[in-house]
Every structure is written in structure tokens, then in C-alpha cells.
Amino acid sequence: MEMQVVQRARETFLTGKSRPLEFRVQQLKSLQRMITDRQGEIATALKQDINRSQYDTPLLELIGLENEISLAVSKLAQWAAPRPVEKSLLTIRDQVYIQPEPLGVVLIIGAWNYPWALTLQPLVGAIAAGNAAVVKPSELSEYSASLLKALLPRYLDQELYPVVCGGVSETQELLRQRFDHIFYTGNSTVGKLVMEAAARHLTPVTLELGGKSPCYIDKDVDLRVACRRITWGKFVNCGQTCIAPDYILCEPSIQNRVVEGIRQTLLEFYGPDPKSSPDYGRIINQRHFNRVMALLDGYTAALGGQSDSSQRYIAPTVVKDVPPHARLMQEEIFGPLLPIVTVSDIDDAIHFISEREKPLAIYVFSSNKKVIKRMLAETTSGGVTVNDVMMHYTLNSLPFGGVGQSGTGRYHGKHTFDQFSHHRACLVKSLGMEGVNMPRYPPQNHQKARRVRLAMRTPLVDFSKGTYIWAVTASIVALGLLVALTVILILAAGVSCTCW
Amino acid sequence: MSREQLVVERARRAFQTGMSKPLKFRVHQLKNLHRFIIERRKDIADAVKKDLNKTEHSTELFETLGLEGEIDVAVERLAEWAAPRPVEKSLLTILDEVYIQPEPLGVVLIIGAWNYPWAVTLQPLVAAIAAGNAAVVKPSEVSSHSAKVMEELLPLYLDKELYPVVCGGVSETQELLRQRFDHIFYTGNSTVGKLVMEAAARHLTPVTLELGGKSPCYIDKDVDLRVACRRITWGKFVNCGQTCIAPDYILCEPSIQNRVVEEIRKCITEFYTDDPKTFEDYGRIINQRHFQRVMSLLEGSTVAIGGDSDQSQCYIAPTVLKDVTGGSKVMQEEIFGPLLPIVTVSGVDEAIQFINEREKPLALYVFSPDNKLIRRVIAETSSGALVANDCLVHFTVSALPFGGVGNSGMGRYHSQHGFDQLSHLRACLIKKLNLEDANAMRYPPHTAKKLGWARFFFLKRVNLRQLRRMALLALFSAMASFVVQRFLR
């Protein structure tokens, strides 16, 4: 079944249907309509999947998606246009540019924690780049998956953008097919399997994985604000966010104040009983619930710690003085447990972070520029937000992706378009000026070699329209200013002008 | 612990000391590399002559000149490439620092190829050094003389621990591929490319694969055949056809086939004399195995020019094959040798169809005076690169990204593209701890009103460039009016 779906998508792509810009824009606008029209149903599905509050759905998923669609629609012509590059003396009369082209049929494997954003944002880029796309939503967020399967064919071209639902075996069958790009969001273990499968067809991949994103709190920082922002980022979606601050690093002297700051914020956000707050989520399923609770084994919570297996509810929990070897510190938590690991100073913190796998995000809270600079220079991660958490995700001019174990490739905004395109180098020469080519032909000798050397070592100049227009405008303005200045000086010098 | 394991560990330890990060260090190493090429020109040329029977001038033209160019560009532009790259802000981040910071990845593995052993192994090294990485260089053992010279001499110019050279065959390469790298850069064929990517997958290591394929060359019947054939002949027989972007086969209409053959015959004589075997500027096949492979491709095809060979010298004459069909043996794999098949097609439609039925090639060549036809070919086909009215030269345009698509590869390099490929482009958002009230709209308990504000701030796009321009214009007008009032009353 999967093979037929992919085959049909490829055949439709080969007809060229998905290439015209008008078609792509029309599909994107249709996707926008789907989100706007069906917002209520989407919110209901999310509530059933993960107890997402009705406001968190637009806030965390749909607004970002709308943003991506409207950006793509308004900028598509610019993104898809040929991109001129610098020329040298040898190519001065040629057309030299990079032409973005569709890759073909891409596979998008979504995740369950933000089933709409993480499955449809890549789709926006895939459509914008002119590809066909097979969409495989995560089966763990089953209500969202079946809603997507029901809705998408009613708004988008059914053959170019089919939705395939299913579990492990359906995904494996999909991965046996040949794609022109595979976009996977999930964990590193499956990420490796996806890349291995892709290798068999030499298919490039984008892997948006995870890891333990550290959050360093400098001892001199305004703890009230820092704790508020961290608390929000950690417990949103019940901690099930790939870029959630996984654990805190701070000096022992401020640990208790940090706990207190978080406690106050939790009270403000979710009230005295988070279980009854409409804004507090649940763990996606029993397996993950058990997994997260097991991490707490043997540790006493400084805050929270309560749970209710029947509801898959885990209270917002903070654990103090966590040793580095604890189970809590061995895997990505992906749940509402916030360990605090104490470090002696920033050197210790940097060392701690660098010993571990490169995370998807690093957070630093400090008002000291030097501390921030050091943290950034001596660590690496997919992305960084300083003095807040997760916000680099929301700016679509920033590329969003991991490095090392946290992933490969990036997306958001134009980056998604570029990721799903082939950037074809185009050089259109003329058949004239053959004399210039003579030195390169055999038989070779010293003089020819010298001429080639000279020709190839000329400087590169930017002949693009933008620079040209700027140069002309700037010259005119400068000339105008010069004339004006001269006139002023002359008049100021008291020379009478009979024409005045 | 194996030798390969030790080498990689040493490189990683050296990288972790941070010594490859400072720009001054990188520039110093790049300049040393440049010095290496200039001072050891003779050693390099001798090695290439023994490997591929290339003359000194050819070596300079095709291997070291490009390399020197890349080093020059890197040295000149490194500060620009490595600097933080500010990006467009939103209304929410208008007071923050928002930029992309290029960072080194760590330890890169560069597996070179044998056809241009210096260019194809060291150009990626230039990118790796420029990006601040450590790099393990594994030259191809097939071009054994060049590999040996690289192993002996490179450590005399570059840091031995950060940029070690590891020589060896299949088993040494496999052992290397078992180690963990932060990026693997492989140049070679698709079969091994798949193995490299599979090995990389085990460590989630990103890869750049510069592979090959059959690069078609379409000749329009209205084109100036004299010039077209000259450029094609040059592109094809350089390095005895052993170039990943060589025009693999020609597509043209039957009516011009004979003229094409004649023009190529004239050019071959002009370039390589009547007896290419004795001419110093004509190369040789790299080894016996490839010699046999290429010769066997002749089976079943009509020879129009050349066809003779000398096994003892691994010499194959510049050969052109006529009336070749899509099913011929020579059309089943990348030739990588001096055989130039001509396949006849009824016109550009059939040519495009022929090309699209096959894997996406590394390069596509079109010879036509008609811009519309060229644009059609660009729009209706795909390939790593497309060059109209010439062959190979896009390799030397450093501003163009060089790489394949589909079976011809993934990733790209040359100039800044190489730097970016071997860097991690880290998204950085530096906020302040004030203006906390603005964040209230995202915190629970949620309300419809808060959501409304969030919508506004997220969805309102601010074109800062336009704002700046308007502000400047306003300022300028204010100044102008002030000046007019004050001085010109």
C-alpha cells in the first residue's frame, strides 16, 4: 500500500503539476484555510491526545504554522527565483546563478508532542519548494493522526500530498521506498535507523532529534524573572518539548532561591492544584508515563512529585542536588521533572555541558556579558537562547535544527524551502570569445599556463542587481549632497546671486 | 587500539584544546598549505605524472591552480565567513540580538579520490581548516604516488595532530569509518557512497557525498559546431576522460552526427597530434582494472574515431562511438575514460526525455545559441549543475556551489559553500531580563485576550530594512529642510 502511495506521488510529481508557483501558493493558502476552518476540531483532537488546553493549541502550534504559511506565500517568488552569484573576469559576460529546484518526492515523519506543528511546518516548506510529500504523522498522537488523515485530502492535492497512517511496520515499509529527501522529527535511536534506510537510496535527510538541553543560571541574575521564564518553558506541554530546558545548572548558594522562584511561578500559572488547571497537560501514553516516573526512583522531590496513573498526570516536579550519574541525568526527560545539578562556577558548568552530547538547545541566564560570551564560545548546541527559553524557535529567520546527536539539517522560514530544494549551479556561457579559452587547450606550455593563471586569479565582483542599484543610488545621492554643499558654501560666503 | 582509532582520538583531543578555533591559527595553516603547494610543486607534479601521466602544466591547470584559488578566497574572506550573521527580527525580538553563529563541527573525515588526487582531497581540507575543524585526510590509495607524497610532506606544513594523513586501502578505510566523526566528506562513486552514509548513520554523522554519474551533453543542430566540439573535446579527454564532470555522452540529431564526429576528429589532432600515444599532454588510465573496465565498454558499439589501445601503458586512444543506443554497454555505467558515445535523438524533447529516464547526473551540458532552449532544458531536467555552451568550467567559479543531487551526491562545497558545509550554523537569540510584562501573554492561566495579543505579536511581520530606510529618509528630509530654512532664506 505504501509503495503505491509513493509511486502515485512520484508519477504526479513527474507530470510537473507541483512546480508552477501559482499552484504552490494555492495549496499553501488551502492549508491555511484548513487550519483556520478546523481549529476547533484540531483543538479537540489535541485535548484527547495530550490534554492540551484550548489556548495552548493556537499558541504553541497553529500561530507558528500560520506564520510559516503567510511567509512562504508572500516570499515564494523571491525564494524560487534564480540567485545570481559573484562573477570573475572570466565569467563577466556570462549568466552565473543558483537555481533552486524541487527535489521530487519527500517523506515527512512527524512527532507526537506537537503533532500539527512538527508535521505540517515541514510540509509548508516541501510544498513551497515544489515537491510532492508523503506525510506520516506519529501514531502516538492518534486522534491528531486520524484527523489529519481525514482533513488533509479535503484541502490539498490528494496524490501529491498523501497522508499515510500506521505504526512501526508501516513506517518501515515507507522507509524501504525511494525518496528524494526524508525529514524526520523524533529521537536519536530511530533517527539512526532512518538515516541507515536513507543511505540505501542515497537519500539526504533532515533529522530533528533531541537531547538534554541544559539551562545555566548565573548566581547574580534576577532570579524572579529567570525562574518564571524557565518554569514556563519546562512545564508547557507537560515537559514534552524537544527544546524544553531539560535540567538546571546553578551554584549551590542560589539553589533554594531557584526552587522558591519556581514554586511561586507554578502557583501563579497552574494554581495550587495543577491537576485541575485546564492549562496543564498530561503525558502522552502509559509507556511514557511509566518511563518518566521511573526516572524519579530514589529521589525526593523538592516540589511536586505527585502523580495519577489513571490520568497520566505527573505534577510539576523539581528535584534538588541531583548527582550527574542519576538516571534523571542519563536520558532526555521529556516530562515535567526538573532536576537541579549544582556546579561550583561557570567553568564547572561549561565542563559539565561539554562532556555530554551536543544538545538541541542551551539556555543561559545572566546579566553579565562576559559570562554569556564565554558560555556561547566554549559550548555548542543546535541553538541558543540567552535569558529566556525556547524563543529562538519562534523566529523563522533563525535556522532551527540540531548538531551531533541532536540532529542534522535545519528548517523554519526560508531554511525549510532551501532544505527541500536542490540548489543547482547554472553557468550560461556564450559561444563567442573563444580566443579567451585558447590557453586552456593542449598542447600546454609556459606562456599558456601563465595566462590561465592570471585569468583565474581575478577578484570576484558582485554584479547582482541589488548591489548595482544601491551603488547607482548612493552615487546620485552623494553627488546631490556635494552639489548642495557647494551651493550652501558659496551662498554662505556672501556671493550675491541675482537670480534669487 | 588500531592505528586509525589512535589518529582520530589524537585529532579529537587536539580539537578539544581549542587550538583550531582562533582565526589567526586557521589563516596561518591555510597559508602554510599554500606554501606547501608552491614549494613542493615539483614533488606534486612528479607524483601526478607517475599516477596519471599528466604533464606539469596540466597538473597546475587542473589541480593546484584551483586549490590556490580556494586558499586565497578563504584567507581573504575568513573573517567575514566566521563572523556572526545577523538575521531579520520580529516585533517581539526587536530589542534583542539575533544572529547565526558559524562554529566548527569537530573532527572531519575527508576521503579523497584518485582522478584529481590533490584538488579533490585538499579542497575539502581548505574548507575544513577554514571552518575551524580538525580533519583526518584519507587520500585514495589508487593514486598511490600522490598519497605517499601527501603522507610524507603534508605534516611538514600543517599541524600533525589536527590534520593527520592516513593512507591505506579498503580495510583501513573501513576501520576509519567505524570511528566517530562530526562530518564525513567523501568523493568517489555511488556504491561506496552508500556504504559511507550507512557507516555515518551509526553515529548520526552528517555527510557530503561528491559522487558521479553519466553527464549528458546535448548539441543543438543550430549551434556553431566548430566551437562546441572544441570545448567538448577538451572537456572529455582531459585527464583521459577520468573527470567526474566530464561530458559522458553526446545527444544530438542524426543530421549533424557526422559533422560532430569530423569536428571532434580535427580537435583531437589539434590537441593531441596524430599520435596521442606519444604526446606528453595525453594522459593514461589509472590502472589495469580500470583499463579493462573501460575497454570492455566498447563491446557492441561502432568506433568512429580511435579505438586503439596499449595495455602495457594503460593507453586508450581518444575514441568516439557513433549511433550508440540507450541499451548499449557503454551507456550502462559512468565511462570515466576516453570513450565518447554519440546517441542520436530526434530533437530536444527526446533528449530531455532520455535524460529524465536516467539518474540525476552531476553535470548537464547544453550547446545551443537559443536561450529559450537552454532555459527549457534547465526547467525540465535536474542535475548537480548545468553549463551551457562549455564544459567543466563551473568547477572553477568559486561562487557556485559544487555538488550533486540524487545519485550524483548530496551537499556542496567550494568557497563559502564549503565553509558553511563544514560548520554548524548555530541560531543565537540574546534577550534581556527586562520587559517581563510583555511575556505575560504566553503564560498560563490562558485567556482569549492574551491569545489575541500573542497572535498580533507573532504574526505581524516587521520589515526592519524598510523601516530603517524610511527613518533615514525622514531624517534626511528633516536635515534638508533645516538647511534650506537656515541658509537659503
Side-chain angles (χ1 to χ4, degrees):
Chain A
M1 194 272 286
E2 284 77 20
M3 188 161 68
Q4 283 164 345
V5 165
V6 179
Q7 180 90 305
R8 225 178 15 246
R10 188 167 290 287
E11 277 158 19
T12 318
F13 172 77
L14 288 171
T15 64
K17 190 173 181 191
S18 62
R19 284 181 187 244
L21 298 191
E22 301 84 50
F23 177 84
R24 307 183 205 181
V25 168
Q26 184 242 341
Q27 293 291 302
L28 289 172
K29 287 187 167 166
S30 217
L31 188 62
Q32 172 65 68
R33 261 205 332 272
M34 180 184 96
I35 298 169
T36 321
D37 292 347
R38 308 292 186 149
Q39 209 176 151
E41 291 167 59
I42 295 175
T44 311
L46 280 168
K47 181 127 188 99
Q48 289 169 303
D49 279 324
I50 203 170
N51 199 47
R52 182 81 64 71
S53 86
Q54 65 162 143
Y55 295 109
D56 260 335
T57 291
L59 191 65
L60 302 172
E61 300 218 46
L62 304 183
I63 291 180
L65 205 40
E66 283 182 63
N67 201 9
E68 289 281 312
I69 296 174
S70 74
L71 183 72
V73 164
S74 72
K75 297 268 175 133
L76 189 57
Q78 196 186 101
W79 293 351
R83 305 177 188 180
V85 298
E86 285 178 344
K87 298 195 208 187
S88 68
L89 215 63
L90 273 177
T91 46
I92 207 163
R93 295 186 59 203
D94 309 321
Q95 293 171 49
V96 193
Y97 58 93
I98 299 172
Q99 176 64 59
E101 297 180 338
L103 287 168
V105 182
V106 309
L107 171 63
I108 298 172
I109 302 177
W112 52 259
N113 54 340
Y114 293 90
W116 296 86
L118 297 179
T119 313
L120 296 182
Q121 270 194 35
L123 180 61
V124 169
I127 297 176
N131 300 296
V134 175
V135 180
K136 162 69 185 68
S138 170
E139 69 278 17
L140 262 63
S141 46
E142 45 176 316
Y143 294 95
S144 295
S146 40
L147 183 61
L148 188 65
K149 184 155 176 85
L151 289 185
L152 211 66
R154 289 194 225 158
Y155 289 84
L156 297 186
D157 186 297
Q158 285 183 27
E159 296 183 333
L160 282 172
Y161 317 112
V163 179
V164 176
C165 283
V168 173
S169 59
E170 283 82 3
T171 312
Q172 283 174 334
E173 183 57 32
L174 268 179
L175 287 170
R176 267 177 224 120
Q177 310 313 312
R178 183 174 176 186
F179 292 96
D180 299 289
H181 194 102
I182 298 179
F183 191 109
Y184 168 76
T185 308
N187 65 64
S188 323
T189 315
V190 180
K192 290 182 187 173
L193 299 174
V194 170
M195 191 169 169
E196 258 176 54
R200 269 166 237 134
H201 295 289
L202 283 172
T203 300
V205 297
T206 304
L207 305 173
E208 297 278 328
L209 311 175
K212 293 181 78 61
S213 300
C215 182
Y216 174 70
I217 309 180
D218 190 19
K219 70 180 191 310
D220 297 320
V221 86
D222 177 355
L223 281 178
R224 189 190 62 90
V225 177
C227 291
R228 264 177 120 222
R229 297 179 180 187
I230 296 171
T231 308
W232 168 72
K234 177 66 181 189
F235 298 107
V236 108
N237 211 32
C238 209
Q240 297 161 115
T241 311
C242 49
I243 40 169
D246 190 277
Y247 62 96
I248 289 178
L249 290 169
C250 69
E251 287 180 39
S253 53
I254 58 165
Q255 196 181 200
N256 288 327
R257 281 166 53 215
V258 167
V259 173
E260 188 50 30
I262 297 174
R263 192 187 65 76
Q264 284 179 0
T265 312
L266 283 172
L267 199 58
E268 187 193 323
F269 287 177
Y270 304 113
D273 182 24
K275 198 168 173 187
S276 53
S277 160
D279 296 323
Y280 190 71
R282 296 292 180 268
I283 302 296
I284 183 80
N285 63 19
Q286 207 59 46
R287 182 169 71 85
H288 278 282
F289 174 86
N290 296 337
R291 179 188 66 77
V292 177
M293 287 311 293
L295 295 175
L296 212 43
D297 264 350
Y299 290 96
T300 330
L303 289 177
Q306 308 91 336
S307 61
D308 180 346
S309 173
S310 67
Q311 279 196 32
R312 301 189 311 273
Y313 164 80
I314 303 179
T317 304
V318 177
V319 186
K320 279 172 44 167
D321 294 310
V322 178
H325 59 262
R327 255 192 90 180
L328 261 177
M329 292 304 292
Q330 300 315 311
E331 58 178 84
E332 188 177 356
I333 296 169
F334 229 67
L337 311 181
L338 182 49
I340 305 181
V341 178
T342 52
V343 286
S344 49
D345 54 21
I346 185 175
D347 289 293
D348 200 11
I350 290 176
H351 183 70
F352 190 93
I353 295 173
S354 304
E355 273 180 339
R356 288 162 174 70
E357 293 297 342
K358 299 176 187 179
L360 189 51
I362 287 184
Y363 303 111
V364 188
F365 282 83
S366 174
S367 19
N368 183 339
K369 282 213 173 94
K370 280 221 199 79
V371 166
I372 297 172
K373 194 155 173 233
R374 264 199 76 193
M375 222 356 144
L376 294 185
E378 296 178 38
T379 62
T380 183
S381 61
V384 173
T385 298
V386 174
N387 289 328
D388 207 337
V389 296
M390 317 205 303
M391 295 307 283
H392 62 286
Y393 182 91
T394 64
L395 197 58
N396 54 29
S397 50
L398 281 176
F400 182 76
V403 65
Q405 296 290 101
S406 50
T408 167
R410 63 275 190 83
Y411 72 128
H412 281 188
K414 187 179 180 203
H415 305 287
T416 328
F417 176 90
D418 284 345
Q419 189 86 161
F420 281 124
S421 299
H422 169 50
H423 298 271
R424 190 183 200 183
C426 295
L427 174 57
V428 181
K429 295 183 81 70
S430 76
L431 281 156
M433 306 267 290
E434 182 61 356
V436 177
N437 281 337
M438 297 312 286
R440 78 189 194 197
Y441 299 133
Q444 284 294 322
N445 56 40
H446 277 297
Q447 287 95 313
K448 276 192 176 183
R450 201 177 332 129
R451 271 211 292 230
V452 174
R453 178 177 259 280
L454 276 173
M456 279 182 62
R457 302 289 289 276
T458 60
L460 297 168
V461 192
D462 185 2
F463 278 101
S464 68
K465 242 206 295 200
T467 320
Y468 189 69
I469 292 175
W470 187 94
V472 169
T473 323
S475 313
I476 294 176
V477 169
L479 195 64
L481 283 173
L482 189 65
V483 168
L485 188 66
T486 322
V487 168
I488 291 170
L489 285 175
I490 291 173
L491 288 176
V495 173
S496 60
C497 184
T498 50
C499 58
W500 205 251
Chain B
M1 223 194 247
S2 66
R3 175 180 72 115
E4 287 76 20
Q5 220 172 344
L6 278 169
V7 163
V8 177
E9 263 196 38
R10 232 189 357 251
R12 189 166 291 287
R13 267 202 300 269
F15 173 77
Q16 277 163 350
T17 64
M19 65 190 270
S20 64
K21 290 198 189 185
L23 297 191
K24 273 223 273 282
F25 177 85
R26 308 183 204 181
V27 169
H28 178 71
Q29 293 293 310
L30 289 171
K31 286 187 169 166
N32 277 355
L33 188 61
H34 202 169
R35 239 177 358 104
F36 167 68
I37 297 168
I38 295 181
E39 286 176 15
R40 303 294 182 155
R41 197 183 289 285
K42 188 99 190 4
D43 295 286
I44 295 173
D46 284 342
V48 176
K49 176 117 190 113
K50 288 191 203 127
D51 283 325
L52 288 152
N53 197 46
K54 270 218 278 256
T55 62
E56 206 179 309
H57 295 299
S58 282
T59 298
E60 187 182 342
L61 186 59
F62 294 104
E63 299 239 39
T64 55
L65 208 55
L67 203 41
E68 286 183 66
E70 282 283 307
I71 297 175
D72 281 346
V73 170
V75 165
E76 186 191 312
R77 304 257 174 121
L78 189 57
E80 189 189 307
W81 295 348
R85 304 174 189 181
V87 297
E88 221 182 278
K89 300 195 211 183
S90 67
L91 214 62
L92 272 178
T93 47
I94 208 161
L95 295 175
D96 307 321
E97 282 176 64
V98 192
Y99 59 92
I100 298 172
Q101 176 64 59
E103 295 181 344
L105 286 169
V107 183
V108 175
L109 171 63
I110 298 172
I111 302 178
W114 52 259
N115 56 339
Y116 294 89
W118 296 89
V120 142
T121 314
L122 296 185
Q123 273 194 29
L125 179 61
V126 171
I129 298 175
N133 300 295
V136 175
V137 180
K138 161 71 185 70
S140 170
E141 68 280 15
V142 179
S143 48
S144 52
H145 299 96
S146 297
K148 193 149 174 296
V149 169
M150 212 179 278
E151 189 181 25
E152 279 172 9
L153 297 185
L154 209 60
L156 302 177
Y157 290 81
L158 297 184
D159 187 291
K160 279 195 269 278
E161 297 188 334
L162 282 172
Y163 317 111
V165 179
V166 177
C167 283
V170 173
S171 59
E172 283 82 4
T173 313
Q174 283 175 333
E175 181 58 24
L176 267 180
L177 286 170
R178 265 176 226 120
Q179 310 314 313
R180 184 174 171 181
F181 292 96
D182 299 288
H183 194 103
I184 299 179
F185 194 111
Y186 169 75
T187 308
N189 66 65
S190 320
T191 316
V192 179
K194 288 181 189 174
L195 299 174
V196 170
M197 191 171 169
E198 259 177 52
R202 267 165 238 134
H203 295 288
L204 282 171
T205 300
V207 298
T208 303
L209 305 173
E210 298 277 331
L211 310 175
K214 293 182 77 61
S215 299
C217 182
Y218 175 70
I219 308 180
D220 186 20
K221 70 178 189 318
D222 298 319
V223 87
D224 176 355
L225 283 178
R226 195 184 52 92
V227 178
C229 291
R230 182 186 235 132
R231 297 180 180 186
I232 296 171
T233 308
W234 172 73
K236 176 67 179 188
F237 298 109
V238 123
N239 206 29
C240 207
Q242 297 162 116
T243 310
C244 49
I245 42 171
D248 190 276
Y249 63 97
I250 288 176
L251 290 167
C252 70
E253 288 180 40
S255 54
I256 58 165
Q257 193 181 203
N258 288 328
R259 276 164 58 213
V260 167
V261 172
E262 271 324 294
E263 289 295 336
I264 295 179
R265 188 194 304 278
K266 278 193 236 161
C267 289
I268 291 176
T269 315
E270 188 189 321
F271 292 168
Y272 305 115
T273 73
D274 290 311
D275 188 15
K277 192 168 170 188
T278 54
F279 187 62
E280 62 160 1
D281 271 334
Y282 188 70
R284 295 291 182 270
I285 300 297
I286 183 83
N287 62 20
Q288 280 299 317
R289 181 168 73 84
H290 279 280
F291 175 87
Q292 307 286 14
R293 180 188 64 78
V294 177
M295 287 309 291
S296 73
L297 294 176
L298 281 172
E299 197 182 300
S301 293
T302 321
V303 175
I305 305 176
D308 43 297
S309 59
D310 180 347
Q311 187 169 346
S312 64
Q313 283 194 30
C314 284
Y315 165 79
I316 302 179
T319 303
V320 176
L321 307 169
K322 274 176 59 157
D323 295 315
V324 178
T325 60
S328 312
K329 199 151 177 230
V330 77
M331 289 305 290
Q332 302 316 310
E333 58 177 84
E334 188 177 356
I335 296 167
F336 229 67
L339 313 182
L340 181 49
I342 304 179
V343 177
T344 52
V345 286
S346 54
V348 75
D349 292 300
E350 200 189 327
I352 290 177
Q353 200 193 357
F354 189 94
I355 294 170
N356 286 340
E357 275 167 11
R358 289 161 173 72
E359 293 294 341
K360 297 177 187 176
L362 189 51
L364 214 166
Y365 300 110
V366 189
F367 283 82
S368 174
D370 181 1
N371 249 321
K372 270 198 15 228
L373 188 143
I374 295 173
R375 262 200 294 277
R376 238 197 98 188
V377 175
I378 295 179
E380 297 181 31
T381 62
S382 185
S383 60
L386 183 138
V387 183
N389 297 325
D390 209 341
C391 291
L392 312 188
V393 287
H394 62 291
F395 188 88
T396 62
V397 180
S398 60
L400 282 175
F402 184 81
V405 64
N407 263 28
S408 51
M410 59 179 80
R412 65 270 193 90
Y413 71 128
H414 281 183
S415 185
Q416 188 175 357
H417 305 288
F419 176 90
D420 284 354
Q421 186 86 159
L422 297 180
S423 297
H424 169 50
L425 300 172
R426 189 187 200 184
C428 298
L429 171 58
I430 321 282
K431 294 182 80 73
K432 298 201 179 50
L433 282 157
N434 51 12
L435 297 181
E436 177 63 0
D437 295 331
N439 281 339
M441 58 187 161
R442 76 191 197 203
Y443 296 144
H446 293 306
T447 64
K449 185 156 157 219
K450 277 190 186 179
L451 186 62
W453 277 111
R455 273 195 95 81
F456 173 76
F457 276 103
F458 273 108
L459 290 179
K460 187 104 191 78
R461 245 197 320 282
V462 170
N463 191 338
L464 279 177
R465 218 174 297 153
Q466 242 176 30
L467 269 183
R468 248 202 306 268
R469 259 185 230 146
M470 293 209 297
L472 267 174
L473 200 64
L475 183 66
F476 185 66
S477 326
M479 273 175 57
S481 58
F482 170 74
V483 165
V484 165
Q485 298 238 30
R486 179 84 175 73
F487 292 107
L488 299 179
R489 206 129 20 110

